[in-house]
Amino acid sequence: MAGVRLPPEEPELSQSRAPISVDLVWDDDRSVAADSWSIKSDYGSTLDDEQRQADAADALSSAALRPASDYGSDKEDPDADVPISMLGLQSYWDAAYADELANFQEHGHTGEIWFGAEVMETVASWTKSLCNDLSQGLMRNHMDDVKSVPDEQFERDLSGWSVLDIGTGNGLLLQKLAKQGFSDLTGTDYSEGAINLAQSLADREGFSNIKFMVDDFLETKLERQFQVVMDKGTLDAIGLHPDGPIKRVMYWDSVSKLVAPGGLLVITSCNSTKDELVQEVDNFNRRKLCASLDPETQKQQENSCRDPPFQYLSHVRSYPTFMFGGSVGSRVATVAFLRN
């Protein structure tokens, strides 16, 4: 949930991929390889690169920055241990998608829609609207933190916007984006079962233009950049890994290489608020821009960094909000960042 974290809800309201506050019972079939994150998969992706882990840990230590999960407004102790969950492990998702693929093959079921169908529709239509505004050089009033972007940079037809969905799962978000007019669409997931399910669903619905591939996002095999990178629940799941804070640092290093200059990163989260995501991006920007400076120079020049990798652009304001524990929030946050 974004904005406010609630106790477990009724089943029909629990649509998120990675609820941070729910204690889950380990299922025998889904906990056989609990340490699979550090095993080299059959698809050529090393899921735990020791050097990148060390670099990320050093970055956290040297920057003296807390992970975003420590910024929750309902935390009395900001230094409390970051919650972990089986939802942060590949073994869980491999088993989950094996079940969903079997259900599709036997009954034709689509499978779980993370965050719910309404949120998925909102994300797809909102992303289209945002891209249309950018392509025309329009800046809405609520995009108060955005520098002027040259019109010609975005003067291209919507179908020319390449889109990557990381942690695509069943690929339904890409189908919604295709219906909005996007045509250069790619979905990746580290679970082969997810990709098989996504491809089967796309084939059934006639979306031959959507490409899918098995790929570990934290150590991607992709060699191209995209105008739009979508994340619906992937950062949430990464944060629930036992090495969540380090994995989140690796996340930003990876995503910054995949979003083309002038492109968009659109994150939908149920575990981070809009402000927490903005804070996490600010932490990444400072680390990338000022890490090479000595502490005294960094203190003097920290505010003079002018070209951060990512810049807050906008967020969805139409999600229902509610009051809980004296705070107002929503169950989901969708935030867009501009790649400089």
Side-chain angles (χ1 to χ4, degrees), residues 120 123-128 158 163-165 171-183 185 207 209-210 228 230:
M120 184 171 64
V123 171
S125 60
W126 182 78
T127 300
K128 173 187 176 180
L158 184 63
V163 179
L164 171 67
D165 184 24
L172 294 184
L173 177 59
L174 289 173
Q175 291 190 27
K176 294 297 182 183
L177 290 168
K179 292 178 180 178
Q180 293 290 340
F182 295 93
S183 60
L185 299 160
F207 291 104
N209 59 315
I210 304 178
V228 182
M230 309 291 297

Side-chain angles (χ1 to χ4, degrees), residues 9-68:
E9 304 171 320
E10 293 298 324
E12 64 269 17
L13 295 179
S14 301
Q15 298 289 346
S16 64
R17 180 177 183 179
I20 200 168
S21 60
V22 179
D23 292 327
L24 297 173
V25 178
W26 284 79
D27 184 287
D28 291 341
D29 294 332
R30 297 189 180 186
S31 60
V32 175
D35 60 348
S36 63
W37 197 282
S38 56
I39 298 175
K40 183 177 180 62
S41 77
D42 294 335
Y43 322 120
S45 173
T46 304
L47 300 177
D48 186 5
D49 184 311
E50 293 183 1
Q51 185 58 53
R52 296 188 69 209
Q53 289 258 5
D55 291 344
D58 289 343
L60 279 174
S61 175
S62 63
L65 302 175
R66 291 176 295 163

